[in-house]
Short mmCIF file of all heavy atoms in Angstrom, two decimals:
data_model
loop_
_atom_site.label_atom_id
_atom_site.label_comp_id
_atom_site.label_asym_id
_atom_site.label_seq_id
_atom_site.Cartn_x
_atom_site.Cartn_y
_atom_site.Cartn_z
N LYS A 35 -12.77 17.06 -5.39
CA LYS A 35 -11.38 17.42 -5.70
C LYS A 35 -11.09 18.87 -5.31
O LYS A 35 -10.51 19.64 -6.07
CB LYS A 35 -11.04 17.19 -7.18
CG LYS A 35 -11.21 15.77 -7.64
CD LYS A 35 -10.16 14.91 -7.03
CE LYS A 35 -10.27 13.49 -7.55
NZ LYS A 35 -9.50 12.55 -6.82
N THR A 36 -11.50 19.25 -4.12
CA THR A 36 -11.30 20.59 -3.60
C THR A 36 -9.82 20.84 -3.38
O THR A 36 -9.11 19.98 -2.89
CB THR A 36 -12.04 20.74 -2.25
OG1 THR A 36 -13.37 20.31 -2.42
CG2 THR A 36 -12.02 22.16 -1.78
N LYS A 37 -9.38 22.03 -3.73
CA LYS A 37 -7.98 22.43 -3.50
C LYS A 37 -7.91 23.23 -2.20
O LYS A 37 -8.83 23.96 -1.85
CB LYS A 37 -7.47 23.29 -4.65
CG LYS A 37 -7.53 22.62 -6.00
CD LYS A 37 -6.29 21.85 -6.27
CE LYS A 37 -6.13 21.47 -7.71
NZ LYS A 37 -6.81 20.32 -8.16
N LEU A 38 -6.80 23.08 -1.49
CA LEU A 38 -6.60 23.75 -0.21
C LEU A 38 -5.14 24.14 -0.09
O LEU A 38 -4.26 23.35 -0.44
CB LEU A 38 -6.99 22.81 0.94
CG LEU A 38 -6.61 23.22 2.34
CD1 LEU A 38 -7.50 24.37 2.82
CD2 LEU A 38 -6.76 22.05 3.29
N LEU A 39 -4.89 25.34 0.39
CA LEU A 39 -3.52 25.75 0.70
C LEU A 39 -3.37 25.65 2.20
O LEU A 39 -3.97 26.41 2.95
CB LEU A 39 -3.26 27.18 0.23
CG LEU A 39 -1.86 27.72 0.50
CD1 LEU A 39 -0.81 26.87 -0.21
CD2 LEU A 39 -1.75 29.15 0.06
N ALA A 40 -2.61 24.66 2.66
CA ALA A 40 -2.41 24.42 4.09
C ALA A 40 -1.15 25.14 4.54
O ALA A 40 -0.04 24.80 4.13
CB ALA A 40 -2.29 22.93 4.36
N ASN A 41 -1.33 26.13 5.37
CA ASN A 41 -0.22 26.92 5.90
C ASN A 41 0.40 26.14 7.05
O ASN A 41 -0.28 25.76 8.00
CB ASN A 41 -0.74 28.27 6.37
CG ASN A 41 0.35 29.22 6.72
OD1 ASN A 41 1.49 28.82 6.97
ND2 ASN A 41 0.03 30.50 6.75
N LEU A 42 1.68 25.89 7.01
CA LEU A 42 2.36 25.09 8.03
C LEU A 42 2.39 25.77 9.40
O LEU A 42 2.55 25.11 10.41
CB LEU A 42 3.78 24.75 7.59
CG LEU A 42 3.88 23.69 6.52
CD1 LEU A 42 5.33 23.46 6.13
CD2 LEU A 42 3.27 22.39 6.96
N SER A 43 2.23 27.08 9.43
CA SER A 43 2.26 27.76 10.72
C SER A 43 0.93 27.64 11.46
O SER A 43 0.88 27.77 12.67
CB SER A 43 2.63 29.23 10.55
OG SER A 43 1.64 29.89 9.80
N THR A 44 -0.16 27.35 10.74
CA THR A 44 -1.47 27.26 11.39
C THR A 44 -2.09 25.88 11.32
O THR A 44 -2.80 25.48 12.24
CB THR A 44 -2.45 28.28 10.77
OG1 THR A 44 -2.56 28.03 9.37
CG2 THR A 44 -1.99 29.70 11.01
N ALA A 45 -1.88 25.14 10.26
CA ALA A 45 -2.50 23.83 10.09
C ALA A 45 -1.54 22.72 10.51
O ALA A 45 -0.34 22.83 10.31
CB ALA A 45 -2.91 23.62 8.63
N LYS A 46 -2.10 21.69 11.09
CA LYS A 46 -1.30 20.53 11.45
C LYS A 46 -1.58 19.43 10.43
O LYS A 46 -2.72 19.04 10.22
CB LYS A 46 -1.64 20.04 12.86
CG LYS A 46 -1.24 21.00 13.93
CD LYS A 46 -1.54 20.45 15.29
CE LYS A 46 -1.16 21.43 16.36
NZ LYS A 46 -1.49 20.93 17.70
N LEU A 47 -0.52 18.94 9.81
CA LEU A 47 -0.63 17.87 8.83
C LEU A 47 -0.06 16.59 9.42
O LEU A 47 0.96 16.62 10.09
CB LEU A 47 0.16 18.22 7.56
CG LEU A 47 -0.22 19.50 6.83
CD1 LEU A 47 0.69 19.71 5.64
CD2 LEU A 47 -1.65 19.46 6.38
N ALA A 48 -0.73 15.48 9.14
CA ALA A 48 -0.24 14.18 9.58
C ALA A 48 -0.20 13.26 8.37
O ALA A 48 -1.22 12.97 7.76
CB ALA A 48 -1.16 13.60 10.65
N ALA A 49 1.00 12.84 7.98
CA ALA A 49 1.17 11.92 6.87
C ALA A 49 0.68 10.54 7.29
O ALA A 49 1.07 10.03 8.35
CB ALA A 49 2.63 11.87 6.45
N LEU A 50 -0.19 9.93 6.50
CA LEU A 50 -0.78 8.65 6.87
C LEU A 50 0.26 7.54 7.03
O LEU A 50 0.09 6.67 7.88
CB LEU A 50 -1.83 8.23 5.84
CG LEU A 50 -3.27 8.41 6.29
CD1 LEU A 50 -3.57 9.84 6.62
CD2 LEU A 50 -4.23 7.86 5.31
N ASP A 51 1.30 7.58 6.25
CA ASP A 51 2.31 6.53 6.38
C ASP A 51 3.19 6.71 7.61
O ASP A 51 4.01 5.85 7.91
CB ASP A 51 3.16 6.41 5.11
CG ASP A 51 3.82 7.71 4.70
OD1 ASP A 51 3.56 8.74 5.34
OD2 ASP A 51 4.59 7.69 3.72
N GLU A 52 3.00 7.79 8.37
CA GLU A 52 3.76 8.03 9.60
C GLU A 52 2.91 7.85 10.86
O GLU A 52 3.43 7.89 11.96
CB GLU A 52 4.34 9.45 9.59
CG GLU A 52 5.28 9.72 8.45
CD GLU A 52 6.59 8.99 8.58
OE1 GLU A 52 7.09 8.87 9.70
OE2 GLU A 52 7.10 8.51 7.55
N ILE A 53 1.60 7.68 10.71
CA ILE A 53 0.69 7.59 11.85
C ILE A 53 0.77 6.21 12.49
O ILE A 53 0.85 5.20 11.80
CB ILE A 53 -0.76 7.90 11.43
CG1 ILE A 53 -0.87 9.36 11.01
CG2 ILE A 53 -1.75 7.59 12.54
CD1 ILE A 53 -2.23 9.76 10.50
N THR A 54 0.75 6.20 13.83
CA THR A 54 0.73 4.94 14.57
C THR A 54 -0.44 4.96 15.56
O THR A 54 -0.96 6.01 15.91
CB THR A 54 2.04 4.72 15.35
OG1 THR A 54 2.24 5.81 16.24
CG2 THR A 54 3.23 4.58 14.41
N ILE A 55 -0.81 3.77 16.02
CA ILE A 55 -1.88 3.59 16.99
C ILE A 55 -1.24 3.07 18.27
O ILE A 55 -0.35 2.22 18.22
CB ILE A 55 -2.93 2.60 16.46
CG1 ILE A 55 -3.59 3.19 15.21
CG2 ILE A 55 -3.97 2.27 17.51
CD1 ILE A 55 -4.51 2.23 14.48
N PHE A 56 -1.71 3.57 19.42
CA PHE A 56 -1.15 3.14 20.69
C PHE A 56 -1.27 1.63 20.86
O PHE A 56 -2.33 1.06 20.65
CB PHE A 56 -1.89 3.80 21.87
CG PHE A 56 -1.63 5.27 22.00
CD1 PHE A 56 -2.65 6.18 21.79
CD2 PHE A 56 -0.38 5.74 22.34
CE1 PHE A 56 -2.43 7.53 21.91
CE2 PHE A 56 -0.15 7.10 22.47
CZ PHE A 56 -1.18 7.99 22.26
N GLY A 57 -0.16 1.01 21.25
CA GLY A 57 -0.13 -0.42 21.53
C GLY A 57 0.43 -0.64 22.92
O GLY A 57 0.96 0.27 23.55
N PHE A 58 0.30 -1.88 23.40
CA PHE A 58 0.82 -2.19 24.74
C PHE A 58 2.34 -2.20 24.74
O PHE A 58 2.98 -1.53 25.53
CB PHE A 58 0.29 -3.53 25.24
CG PHE A 58 -1.17 -3.47 25.60
CD1 PHE A 58 -2.09 -4.24 24.94
CD2 PHE A 58 -1.60 -2.64 26.62
CE1 PHE A 58 -3.43 -4.18 25.27
CE2 PHE A 58 -2.94 -2.57 26.97
CZ PHE A 58 -3.86 -3.35 26.28
N ASP A 59 2.94 -3.00 23.85
CA ASP A 59 4.40 -3.11 23.81
C ASP A 59 5.01 -2.01 22.95
O ASP A 59 5.93 -1.32 23.36
CB ASP A 59 4.81 -4.48 23.28
CG ASP A 59 4.35 -5.60 24.20
OD1 ASP A 59 4.26 -5.35 25.42
OD2 ASP A 59 4.07 -6.71 23.71
N GLU A 60 4.52 -1.88 21.73
CA GLU A 60 5.00 -0.84 20.83
C GLU A 60 3.83 -0.37 19.98
O GLU A 60 2.81 -1.04 19.87
CB GLU A 60 6.15 -1.35 19.96
CG GLU A 60 5.82 -2.55 19.12
CD GLU A 60 7.03 -3.06 18.36
OE1 GLU A 60 8.11 -3.15 18.96
OE2 GLU A 60 6.86 -3.35 17.17
N ASP A 61 3.99 0.81 19.40
CA ASP A 61 2.91 1.37 18.59
C ASP A 61 2.72 0.59 17.30
O ASP A 61 3.67 0.02 16.76
CB ASP A 61 3.20 2.83 18.28
CG ASP A 61 3.12 3.71 19.52
OD1 ASP A 61 2.57 3.26 20.53
OD2 ASP A 61 3.61 4.85 19.47
#
Side-chain angles (χ1 to χ4, degrees):
K35 300 290 183 193
T36 309
K37 301 271 195 278
L38 169 72
L39 180 61
N41 189 340
L42 286 178
S43 64
T44 58
K46 292 183 181 178
L47 302 178
L50 256 60
D51 55 355
E52 299 290 322
I53 293 177
T54 58
I55 296 172
F56 290 113
F58 288 118
D59 297 330
E60 58 184 44
D61 291 345

